Amino acid sequence: MAVDSRKELRTPSDLGDDARKNISASLNGLLSDVFALYMKTKNFHWHVSGPHFRDFHLMLDEQSQEIFEMTDDIAERVRKVGGRTLRSIGEIAKKQRIKDNDAEFVTPQDMLAELAQDNRQLASYMREIHDICDEYRDFSTASLLENWIDEAEERNWFLFESTRRLGAEG
């Protein structure tokens, strides 16, 4: 008797097949966006310049670390609900909604404004997933999302306030 190895990866859960499928798909989309935002934040961390270099360099490094710390929790949550998670950079690229920025030069003001917008968008995506979790009574994933939404809102706040300071200086 042949064993279907795909079923071996499906962690048993009382959430049901529809919940497993919908929550896993949503979380894999979120995971792709988180990886994309992490890479963009690191890109800007590496390439920021100007009179506020040190402050922005340190802030973006701190934010990228916070973003990266989400990745394992998201992927493990997918597995806990019985789904399979991302396997490659190619799969991330297919699913990500946060856009890359491959520009040769980006001003610090534009970097911070773009990252602020991306963090607002990420919070919006997480609220949509929270609604899905509420529908299926997946309280554990919803609880994680609530903390991550707060973190995204805080990153947005810091980035927004930093762009206001730049705008006031010219």
Side-chain angles (χ1 to χ4, degrees), residues 40 44 106-120 156 159-160 162-164 166:
K40 184 187 286 187
F44 290 168
V106 182
T107 67
Q109 173 107 12
D110 289 344
M111 286 178 179
L112 300 182
E114 186 172 333
L115 289 173
Q117 173 59 39
D118 290 341
N119 277 282
R120 288 190 302 272
N156 171 61
L159 292 160
F160 170 74
S162 295
T163 61
R164 286 170 36 116
L166 280 177

Side-chain angles (χ1 to χ4, degrees), residues 33-34 36-37 40 96-100 118 121-122 125:
D33 288 327
V34 168
L37 181 58
K40 184 187 286 187
Q96 77 182 72
R97 296 163 289 185
I98 301 284
K99 301 296 180 203
D100 296 332
D118 290 341
Q121 191 62 53
L122 189 70
Y125 295 151

